[in-house]
Amino acid sequence: MDYFPIFLKLQDAPCLVVGGGDVALRKIRLLKAAAARITVVAPELTAELGEMAQQGSLHWLPGYFASEQVAGMRLVVAATDQRAVNQQVSAAAQAHNIPVNVVDDPELSTYITPAIIDRSPLVIAVSSGGAVPVLARLVRARLESIIPAGFGLLAAFSARFRDKVKARFGDVEARRAFWESVLEGPVAEAVMNGREEAACQEMEKRLASTQDTPSGAVYLVGAGPGNPDLLTFRALRLMQQADVVLHDNLVARELLELVRRDAERIYVGKARANHSLPQEDINLLMVRLASEGKRVLRLKGGDPFTFGRGGEEIETLAEHGIPFEVVPGITSANGAASYAGIPLTHRDHAQSVTFVTGHKKDGSINLDWPALTRPDQTVVVYMGLTMAAELCAAFIQHGKPADTPVAVIEWATTARQRTLTGTLSSLPALISSYGVASPALIIVGSVVTLADKLAWYRRVENGPATMADSPQT
């Protein structure tokens, strides 16, 4: 290693910064975050630094650097645009064996400032040894995207229980296993969701228990419309922690590849009149698995609370006292419309949007037709493919013009996406001719006319369709 990584305690420690410009400001912000006592030497200060000096959050020595100013300092930073001055600062600090950083000049520095991921008290530093700072920042950006903001809360919470855990588990391996189960289980999730009191209660319960089996929990996770890039960070993290995954046919196979490799996978797909497991059995299966101490991931296409039956499932979990969490996802309607170039609202076309399901629990399509046929709105139909002919007929029967533009979007946001456009009168033939299959959404309204102009992801096929047409795949 060219540099030995180390973390310095700077609370109330005297630190000297030479320079009063924007570069110095960036270093001073970091030192302030570490609660250092800062002295700045510079003829002039930026407006922000001047305000800090007026507020007393730093001490300003107007003028130019003198070597005696480094005496008694814990840390020195040279941040001027004059290398001769920076050389003087470096030489004076090294003469007193004080760590010194000369910004963007590793040759004159005895330490360098890393790229920092701050989840205090958890802090991660990334360095390229001063050779390629941009690379260190790119690595930091990637780490920022995968390390939850709540890890800081989790670190502070865990520190409070450190002595109790040490007293409960004398064996190092047992202690390690306990912490792993805590930091990847319901306690950690409760902390990061702001439910610290519940987390404390569960932690005390775990410490008092003589059983080693951890408590189970269920996570209802929205997988989004299909494209793995549209997953939330939290969804991805839970997918990689789950012991068992319950999924259906609305979850793209690319998403399942992101689930933890050794997790048990259970298919609970439901299609109209063809349920691999009735909904009630799915609910009870989650209860049983969680009661066995397993972390259960219920992976749902789109968003769990938008025609995803998430409400029904967590009702059962709540009745049985099973801890659960709901992780929202990008709704299928939003994803499909965005990738098809169809804005759901538009000042010239639609001032409102309504989401409906193509059939109710009993299989009927008894919808609020007067509301759905109002002008200047968009209607998005979930699970309407098998009932498309009946739906289109009902729209027309209740006053919607037969030439109202419609679109059907299959496998939205994925490489298999197809967007087909037509009218209420031609949609059933369009679906039949192109062999459109689930998952697919139907969009009704004049906003569909914008698809040809605004489509950016896949070409739009326009109806009426015939078997001679060549659809985009």
Side-chain angles (χ1 to χ4, degrees), residues 190-409:
V191 172
M192 290 189 286
N193 279 325
R195 297 185 289 112
E196 189 167 320
E197 183 177 350
C200 286
Q201 292 174 355
E202 180 62 24
M203 191 69 167
E204 295 287 0
K205 180 180 175 182
R206 291 285 308 278
L207 288 169
S209 174
T210 58
Q211 298 180 354
D212 293 330
T213 303
S215 300
V218 176
Y219 307 112
L220 271 69
V221 173
N227 189 327
D229 288 344
L230 299 180
L231 278 173
T232 64
F233 293 145
R234 191 168 191 81
L236 180 59
R237 182 167 59 82
L238 293 174
M239 289 168 68
Q240 294 173 345
Q241 290 181 4
D243 300 310
V244 57
V245 179
L246 277 60
H247 66 94
D248 54 39
N249 63 324
L250 295 180
V251 176
R253 60 177 179 267
E254 295 87 352
L255 291 168
L256 288 175
E257 291 301 315
L258 299 176
V259 170
R260 199 176 95 189
R261 295 284 180 189
D262 57 346
E264 180 184 2
R265 303 182 186 189
I266 301 176
Y267 176 71
V268 291
K270 297 187 295 294
R272 187 168 183 264
N274 182 24
H275 294 192
S276 66
L277 272 182
Q279 184 63 53
E280 293 76 10
D281 290 353
I282 295 174
N283 300 348
L284 294 176
L285 176 60
M286 290 189 292
V287 171
R288 178 176 65 79
L289 292 170
S291 298
E292 295 172 356
K294 295 179 179 178
R295 292 168 293 182
V296 182
L297 182 80
R298 177 68 170 104
L299 195 59
K300 295 177 159 296
D303 179 85
F305 279 6
T306 306
F307 300 123
R309 298 185 178 177
E312 299 175 40
E313 294 178 351
I314 63 172
E315 276 187 304
T316 302
L317 297 174
E319 289 170 1
H320 288 80
I322 301 296
F324 63 85
E325 176 185 340
V326 180
V327 180
I330 294 176
T331 67
S332 298
N334 286 338
S338 296
Y339 272 60
I342 301 174
L344 294 178
T345 61
H346 189 287
R347 286 190 298 176
D348 296 332
H349 296 271
Q351 285 70 56
S352 64
V353 58
T354 301
F355 298 163
V356 298
T357 179
H359 58 84
K360 292 187 177 181
K361 193 173 182 179
D362 61 2
S364 70
I365 55 169
N366 185 25
L367 301 175
D368 184 1
W369 292 110
L372 295 182
T373 53
R374 287 197 299 260
D376 300 324
Q377 75 166 334
T378 304
V379 178
V380 180
V381 184
Y382 284 72
M383 297 170 284
L385 204 59
T386 58
M387 300 289 290
E390 293 87 344
L391 286 166
C392 290
F395 268 110
I396 296 170
Q397 178 185 347
H398 289 86
K400 204 72 173 173
D403 61 355
T404 298
V406 298
V408 58
I409 307 164

Side-chain angles (χ1 to χ4, degrees), residues 456-471:
W456 58 273
Y457 184 68
R458 285 286 186 272
R459 180 168 58 87
V460 175
E461 287 290 336
N462 298 301
T466 69
M467 294 302 291
D469 289 332
S470 177

Side-chain angles (χ1 to χ4, degrees), residues 434-446:
Y434 281 111
V436 179
S438 181
L441 276 87
I442 297 171
I443 300 179
V444 180
S446 66

